[in-house]
Amino acid sequence: MGIYSIPEDFRLLGENIKYSLSKYDDRYWREHDRKGDFPDEFYSELARNGFFSLNVPEEYGGVGQGLRAVSFVIKEVSRSCGMSAGDLIMATCVFGVQTIKSFASKELKQKLLPELAEGKHIVSFAITEPDAGVNTPEIKTYAEKSGKGFVINGRKIWTTLAHRASLLFVLARTKQLSKVEKKTDGLTVFLVEKEKAVGSLSISRIEDISMRPLGSCEVVFENLYVPEENIIGKIDRAWEVLPTVLNAERISTASIGVGLGELLVMKAAEYARVRKTFSRPIGSNQGIQFPLARAFSQLQAAWAVTQKAAWEFDSSMDCATDANVAAYMASKAAFFAADRAMQTFGGMAYAVDSDIERHWRDSRLLRTGPIPEEMVLSFIGQRVLALPRSY
Amino acid sequence: MDSKEAISRLLDSSSKFTGEYWRKVYSEERFPEEYWNSISSSGLIGFIVPREAGGLGLGLSDFCSAVETTARWYAGAASYLFLSSCLSALIIERLGSETVKNFLLPDMLSGRKRLCIALTEEVSGLDSASIQTIASKGQGSYVINGSKMFVSNLDKCDYVVIFAKMEEGITAFLAETSNKAIKKRKIEKIGLEFINLFAVDIESLEVSHEFILGKQGEALKQMRDIFMMDRLATAASLIGTGWLSIDTASKYAKERVSFGRKIGSNQGVQFPLADSACRLMAAESILMKACEYFEIDRSLVNIALLQSQDASSASTDVALQTLGGHGYLVEKDVGRYWKDVRAYRLHPISEEILLASIAWQSLGLPRTY
């Protein structure tokens, strides 16, 4: 089977997604966006339909698929329900299942993978800090050895779903930056099981403009104790964990971008077929239809490179270049699609009930997070074109 | 020969044709005989012709990779010679009568004979179904009258495929280019200096029955597959030329120092180069996907070509900008890539037709042409 083929069982999955998620319509997401409410019914529906067991290994009761399947599902769900829905699958299947199955101890796998598969957890991954941004090695959150575990102190920001998560992964320094040879050394990933947390963990929502049903938070750790068996990967060696998690995240957000972009192009095309001005459908004007065709083509190209990156990921090949290219191309294509949808809907796009503004706000996020365009371009400039570092 | 071997043989046989060679070809505005002899004598013209017909029997993805490879290795848009020769051989293999196949195919595969296509006309443009050249039944043969435009390298080819209208529909005829009934006139153009373009007048050209390619009246339908392959191979050629531009510009940006630092360390220079690289990689992926899906879903062909046009246009423009004033120097080559690639937003199919087809076929919007 080729890199780009979609296996037959994926196609069936796609049909199942359309069918089972159809009741979570525009109105549902619009309301949850307005109030910033977590889509509980939707999450249970996903769990009931077995979406979270997709990439759980068979020995832990899952379907045993890889990232190709997950990225396909993320795209299809985003195409049906928008960005928050796709991001939610990423949180559980990538941050949760992928991280645990690749890097956690056998005990944690045995306990958590079946629970994750059943949708018993909501997952969050805390990396970014107020003073570090994308410059991850400069994070200040510190985990100090204490008895048979560690005590964490520090602050994280823009942590999606932290307020609802039962499993919170945290990146912390376990050696000061000044004391390590390579600045990426001395970092460790910890898993905080919120129910068992000892010490203080305060989480506050940030009033924001994208993915409002999921919510983004500021998280403050004050003497939060984590047992050493909750170290993910090895102590001081987070850099063996992060590339896998972050590449999978980029492939996933690229899939969200493609799904969201397709949703918008199709919505705009449908409107352009129906809406008449000067006594003909606006879609028969090349000025309206050409940009939509261009947006659609860009999305297909972005999806192809996403599929390639996911295939490389599943084949344990180096996927960093393609994962970055996918995230970059998909985010640009998604935002272009959103912008053209705005233009196609004209004044109607400014009505909240048209849902275009919500998708437009959401799609804009992909150009800055999880990785800003500028960081991808620097990465490609250095890695592919061998140009000097520019910052 | 497997695909890896074939591609490395292609690289070997084109290795000595670097920027300097192509600069000379362009300044002399001539057919790159040496390059062509080198690849044809390596047995590569049969790249996609089935093995039982004497070809290498390789697939479409491999073919596109090969085209991209030779384009990126300095040939740029001149990779057209390789791709069009391979496709011409496939036309003869698929549609030639036994007689035609027997006398022509071995010579085409070995590089002794070349073929060109006369389809487009002054008025028809991209609307091939509207051509006016006529073939009428004479005694034991057919007589063709009409005129054609944009015939590439007619002076360097031995045979020409002429598309003409009949009662049955559009039919393809094979004729010798030396036939006195074919009168050619060279057209002056900008760019693509390795090609000579001709306008052709055809006056009472007689063609015998066995020189009809395929079925009478079904030429456009029967060649559709090959035209689609041509779009994909053109996309590969554009991506290769895009990379050639970005490779050249990146090398320059690493060496050139201005205001005391390498210009490549300026984000204003580096980011557009990286952006082009991203577009080329995405275009490569959709091209490979379109090849993989060729038998299942043809809608990806136009999308792949559109994305390659976009990516290569951006790449050649960024390369020119990176070189600054040097971009306008013939010896720096990027100006040539820029001028050549621009032609492929018009040909073999224009950007506007691609967009209109995608809007119509993939988005269900009204047909606008």
Side-chain angles (χ1 to χ4, degrees):
Chain A
M1 194 174 55
I3 298 178
Y4 304 102
S5 307
I6 304 285
E8 195 50 37
D9 37 346
F10 285 25
R11 278 183 213 285
L12 295 174
L13 202 56
E15 289 305 309
N16 181 15
I17 289 167
K18 269 182 219 126
Y19 177 74
S20 61
L21 303 185
S22 58
K23 56 177 168 280
Y24 302 96
D25 57 6
D26 284 341
R27 183 191 295 255
Y28 178 86
W29 291 105
R30 196 185 308 139
E31 281 302 298
H32 283 74
D33 180 80
R34 195 170 58 78
K35 295 182 188 150
D37 278 354
F38 185 81
D40 283 296
E41 311 78 6
F42 174 77
Y43 198 71
S44 311
E45 181 89 38
L46 290 176
R48 264 200 306 283
N49 279 280
F51 285 115
F52 301 131
S53 64
L54 197 61
N55 63 332
V56 171
E58 283 166 298
E59 60 202 283
Y60 298 102
V63 184
Q65 286 282 356
L67 193 60
R68 288 178 83 188
V70 171
S71 110
F72 175 78
V73 167
I74 289 176
K75 175 180 80 105
E76 290 299 310
V77 169
S78 305
R79 198 181 199 273
S80 294
C81 298
M83 178 148 156
S84 297
D87 206 83
L88 199 46
I89 297 189
M90 172 176 81
T92 304
C93 293
V94 173
F95 289 158
V97 173
Q98 186 70 51
T99 309
I100 300 274
K101 78 173 175 184
S102 300
F103 301 106
S105 66
K106 201 158 182 241
E107 292 72 27
L108 280 180
K109 282 188 211 173
Q110 263 159 356
K111 185 171 83 162
L112 293 176
L113 286 175
E115 292 177 3
L116 279 160
E118 287 173 34
K120 287 190 176 147
H121 290 288
I122 293 171
V123 185
S124 180
F125 211 114
I127 298 178
T128 306
E129 296 188 4
D131 296 326
V134 289
N135 189 5
T136 304
E138 303 227 330
I139 60 164
K140 301 274 188 320
T141 297
Y142 198 82
E144 182 95 53
K145 185 86 177 114
S146 164
K148 287 200 134 268
F150 289 79
V151 171
I152 304 179
N153 280 288
R155 253 172 92 206
K156 297 284 179 184
I157 198 166
W158 297 120
T159 314
T160 305
L161 285 171
H163 63 306
R164 288 295 305 255
S166 48
L167 301 178
L168 175 65
F169 293 90
V170 186
L171 181 71
R173 279 226 156 265
T174 32
K175 275 198 182 117
Q176 296 293 357
L177 185 57
S178 57
K179 291 189 181 130
V180 291
E181 218 167 279
K182 265 176 69 186
K183 59 186 184 156
T184 47
D185 287 346
L187 292 160
T188 306
V189 177
F190 294 92
L191 172 62
V192 176
E193 294 171 89
K194 227 195 245 170
E195 250 187 4
K196 300 185 194 163
V198 182
S200 162
L201 181 63
S202 41
I203 298 170
S204 49
R205 274 292 282 270
I206 304 166
E207 190 64 32
D208 60 3
I209 62 164
S210 269
M211 291 204 298
R212 289 177 46 79
L214 269 50
S216 226
C217 305
E218 189 174 356
V219 184
V220 180
F221 303 88
E222 279 172 291
N223 296 322
L224 184 84
Y225 177 80
V226 183
E228 68 184 359
E229 53 273 23
N230 279 25
I231 287 177
I232 301 299
K234 295 192 192 102
I235 178 104
D236 295 333
R237 307 293 282 274
W239 228 255
E240 289 167 8
V241 175
L242 289 180
T244 299
V245 176
L246 298 182
N247 283 331
E249 183 192 31
R250 274 160 214 182
I251 292 166
S252 304
T253 58
S255 312
I256 293 172
V258 173
L260 177 60
E262 285 189 359
L263 180 158
L264 283 156
V265 169
M266 293 307 167
K267 216 172 156 64
E270 192 191 328
Y271 185 77
R273 276 194 298 270
V274 178
R275 164 78 175 152
K276 283 187 181 166
T277 59
F278 299 102
S279 66
R280 61 188 204 152
I282 60 169
S284 58
N285 296 304
Q286 295 183 338
I288 297 292
Q289 68 165 235
F290 281 13
L292 291 175
R294 197 177 277 288
F296 183 77
S297 297
Q298 290 175 358
L299 291 163
Q300 300 320 301
W303 177 234
V305 73
T306 307
Q307 285 184 293
K308 183 175 174 216
W311 175 82
E312 288 165 344
F313 184 94
D314 284 348
S315 315
S316 306
M317 293 158 70
D318 180 359
C319 68
T321 295
D322 284 320
N324 276 285
V325 173
Y328 176 72
M329 295 303 289
S331 68
K332 288 214 325 178
F335 185 64
F336 179 61
D339 204 57
R340 290 316 305 180
M342 284 290 258
Q343 197 68 19
T344 305
F345 272 73
M348 288 307 293
Y350 283 78
V352 172
D353 283 358
S354 75
D355 299 300
I356 301 296
E357 62 85 29
R358 169 164 56 90
H359 296 310
W360 186 72
R361 275 189 277 120
D362 281 349
S363 70
R364 186 60 183 80
L365 172 63
L366 292 168
R367 292 183 55 197
T368 44
I371 178 166
E373 283 171 356
E374 293 77 6
M375 293 306 294
V376 175
L377 293 174
S378 296
F379 177 83
I380 298 297
Q382 290 169 58
R383 192 181 210 227
V384 178
L385 306 179
L387 290 168
R389 190 180 156 117
S390 63
Y391 58 94
Chain B
M1 202 175 344
D2 67 7
S3 65
K4 241 190 184 153
E5 219 183 316
I7 290 173
S8 87
R9 191 182 285 194
L10 178 62
L11 262 180
D12 285 348
S13 61
S14 47
S15 65
K16 61 172 179 280
F17 305 104
T18 56
E20 205 177 338
Y21 171 77
W22 290 108
R23 223 170 292 137
K24 198 160 179 293
V25 165
Y26 272 65
S27 77
E28 292 165 7
E29 296 188 28
R30 67 173 174 87
F31 186 82
E33 206 73 57
E34 304 81 4
Y35 168 78
W36 204 84
N37 287 342
S38 183
I39 53 174
S40 60
S41 65
S42 307
L44 294 162
I45 304 299
F47 207 96
I48 41 174
V49 170
R51 268 174 218 208
E52 47 289 11
L56 300 179
L58 295 168
L60 194 51
S61 313
D62 297 329
F63 178 48
C64 287
S65 300
V67 172
E68 187 186 326
T69 303
T70 188
R72 191 172 181 169
W73 183 261
Y74 299 104
S79 54
Y80 163 79
L81 295 171
F82 168 65
L83 79 88
S84 64
S85 307
C86 293
L87 290 167
S88 303
L90 194 61
I91 290 178
I92 298 301
E93 191 276 326
R94 289 197 177 173
L95 301 176
S97 63
E98 283 308 309
T99 319
V100 165
K101 265 196 268 192
N102 286 337
F103 85 82
L104 189 53
L105 193 54
D107 278 353
M108 284 182 78
L109 294 179
S110 67
R112 280 191 296 275
K113 290 274 193 295
R114 286 191 289 256
L115 185 74
C116 59
I117 307 278
L119 169 60
T120 306
E121 297 176 3
E122 180 86 48
V123 178
S124 77
L126 294 167
D127 183 6
S128 305
S130 73
I131 58 167
Q132 296 299 320
T133 296
I134 283 185
S136 46
K137 276 177 197 144
Q139 281 196 320
S141 67
Y142 296 83
V143 181
I144 304 176
N145 280 289
S147 47
K148 295 287 177 184
M149 271 292 277
F150 300 117
V151 184
S152 301
N153 285 335
L154 182 72
D155 57 335
K156 295 289 170 190
C157 290
D158 307 275
Y159 286 87
V160 54
V161 179
I162 299 169
F163 289 75
K165 216 164 60 169
M166 296 176 64
E167 240 170 66
E168 292 84 348
I170 291 171
T171 305
F173 297 88
L174 185 68
E176 278 186 272
T177 52
S178 58
N179 193 307
K180 293 277 185 296
I182 298 175
K183 295 194 172 58
K184 59 178 186 283
R185 177 167 41 88
K186 194 176 162 192
I187 314 169
E188 295 301 323
K189 59 171 166 48
I190 57 164
L192 302 168
E193 278 85 349
F194 60 93
I195 291 177
N196 280 338
L197 266 192
F198 291 90
V200 178
D201 286 319
I202 304 160
E203 283 166 32
S204 304
L205 172 70
E206 276 188 53
V207 181
S208 75
H209 185 265
E210 56 197 0
F211 277 65
I212 289 181
L213 298 177
K215 288 195 186 121
Q216 286 183 31
E218 297 196 2
L220 292 180
K221 199 174 125 199
Q222 287 187 312
M223 286 208 206
R224 197 170 159 73
D225 267 12
I226 291 175
F227 289 158
M228 290 289 128
M229 290 180 189
D230 178 53
R231 287 183 196 180
L232 292 174
T234 300
S237 163
L238 288 172
I239 293 168
T241 311
W243 276 122
L244 176 59
S245 313
I246 295 301
D247 292 344
T248 310
S250 300
K251 190 165 169 279
Y252 185 83
K254 260 177 292 209
E255 288 160 4
R256 167 78 173 150
V257 174
S258 158
F259 297 103
R261 62 198 219 138
K262 290 176 179 162
I263 62 165
S265 58
N266 296 309
Q267 295 182 342
V269 172
Q270 181 178 131
F271 285 5
L273 285 168
D275 173 73
S276 291
C278 290
R279 293 189 199 206
L280 289 169
M281 286 186 265
E284 251 167 10
S285 283
I286 188 71
L287 171 61
M288 286 299 130
K289 183 170 179 174
C291 291
E292 195 175 306
Y293 275 63
F294 194 67
E295 300 304 332
I296 316 166
D297 181 5
R298 289 286 165 85
S299 72
L300 294 178
V301 173
N302 285 344
I303 292 175
L305 181 54
L306 179 70
Q307 292 309 117
S308 309
Q309 288 178 345
D310 272 4
S312 59
S313 293
S315 301
T316 50
D317 200 62
V318 164
L320 193 65
Q321 192 68 22
T322 302
L323 268 76
H326 287 236
Y328 262 73
L329 302 183
V330 172
E331 65 183 78
K332 299 291 185 192
D333 301 322
V334 293
R336 188 170 82 227
Y337 309 146
W338 179 72
K339 207 160 51 161
D340 284 356
V341 155
R342 185 61 183 80
Y344 289 90
R345 280 173 63 202
L346 322 166
H347 163 88
I349 186 160
S350 73
E351 188 176 287
E352 291 77 9
I353 302 264
L354 289 176
L355 288 167
S357 319
I358 294 163
W360 174 49
Q361 289 166 349
S362 300
L363 304 181
L365 288 167
R367 192 173 167 155
T368 57
Y369 63 100

